[in-house]
Every structure is written in C-alpha cells, then in structure tokens.
Amino acid sequence: IAGAAPVQWTVAQGGNGHYYDWIPTHLSWPDANTTAAASSYQGQGGHLVTITSIAENTFFQSQYSQDASGSTLLGWIGGSQDTAAPDYSEPAGGWRWVTGETWGFTNWWTLHNFPDDFGGHQDFIRTQPSGSSVFWDDIGPNASPGFNGVDGYFIEYQATVPEPSGALLLIVSLPLILRRPRPRGQIV
C-alpha cells in the first residue's frame, strides 16, 4: 500500500537499498521524467522507477498495487521506446530504461496483449494494477488522469557513484609519477 514517505527495499530483504515513492500528481511522461530526475531523498538522486528483476517487481507490487484508500495506482515508470534504436519494432522492440540499465525483465499485461501500441505512439510505460499484481501497459506520453490514463508517477532514489576526486587520483598515481628509470649498470 502506497504511503506518504519513500519506502526502502533493504539489502537485508534481498533488495538494492534504493527508496521508492508514489507521487500522486498528474504529469506527462516527459515532465514526470524531468521532475523525478531533479528529485532527491536523503541525498540520493531520483529517477522514474526501473524494474529490472522478478525480485524488484515483487517488492514493487507489495508496496504499490493500491493506495491507502484501496484505489489502484496508475503511474508512470521509467521505460520508454526508442524509435531510433536498431532493435526498434512495434510493439515490443526498442524499449529502454531511463537509467540505461539493461532491458531484460518485463512485466507486460499479456492477458490484454500489452504492449500493443494501440492507436500508435504508445512509447511509454504506466503501471496497470490487477488485484494484488502490477502489470505494465504501453501508453502515449500525455495520458489523461483516470482509469485509462495516469494519476501520478513512481520515483526510485539511489545513491550515485561519486567521481574520483583529483586529489585521490594524484595520491594513487604519485608512486608512478615519482618512479624514475635507473641508468643501466647502477647498483642500488
């Protein structure tokens, strides 16, 4: 059940240590993506949720199949179809995660033949809850709120790997810099 604060999928639970959140604000997919990328929680950067494994999907479903009032959550996640990708084809080719993670695991609502590119230009993913399960549906970027649309979006917060500082690089490479070749025949 979606709450008022981000929920962590802890490493102790078999998770990745990331936090997940439901934002009940209607935005287009591009605006939700931009807003999520500009968000942070406890110093961790945000992005639209990427669900890359069965385990992550199970955790996500346990938290976000409905809100506290029992309403289903129809929201954007971080998958979109790259129509310029070499593997692009309708309806199932060229899908990518906003983070660049490998596209492998999927949870399309196959009972309804999703993805289906119904009406064309359905290049973005929203959640499609059914009971306690949360499936995926391809949909256009400007879906209206309500049953056939989108009522919000899901953010995943994760720590970013810091770039090594210049000082650290200097310290690590100092022995190599100070090492000078010895002239031949010199005894040490």
Side-chain angles (χ1 to χ4, degrees), residues 41-63:
Y41 178 73
Q42 295 185 350
Q44 297 183 45
H47 56 79
L48 288 176
V49 164
T50 59
I51 302 172
T52 60
S53 69
I54 292 170
E56 189 172 17
N57 191 64
T58 300
F59 168 78
F60 184 82
Q61 287 182 138
S62 74
Q63 300 297 316

Side-chain angles (χ1 to χ4, degrees), residues 72-162:
T72 58
L73 302 175
L74 300 168
W76 297 120
I77 63 173
S80 64
Q81 201 170 23
D82 180 356
T83 58
D87 63 334
Y88 169 77
S89 66
E90 285 299 348
W95 290 96
R96 302 288 187 266
W97 291 116
V98 294
T99 57
E101 292 167 276
T102 301
W103 183 268
F105 171 80
T106 63
N107 197 38
W108 296 111
W109 200 10
T110 55
L111 177 67
H112 293 279
N113 298 315
F114 296 144
D116 62 355
D117 197 39
F118 181 77
H121 306 292
Q122 290 194 335
D123 300 330
F124 304 93
I125 302 175
R126 73 160 186 181
T127 57
Q128 180 64 57
S130 177
S132 62
S133 297
V134 179
F135 297 103
W136 303 350
D137 177 11
D138 59 328
I139 195 165
N142 298 308
S144 302
F147 177 73
N148 290 317
V150 174
D151 296 321
Y153 56 99
F154 297 95
I155 299 180
E156 182 174 349
Y157 300 100
Q158 69 185 78
T160 55
V161 178

Side-chain angles (χ1 to χ4, degrees), residues 15-26:
N16 54 21
H18 300 178
Y19 287 85
Y20 298 76
D21 202 6
W22 162 246
I23 310 300
T25 301
H26 178 261

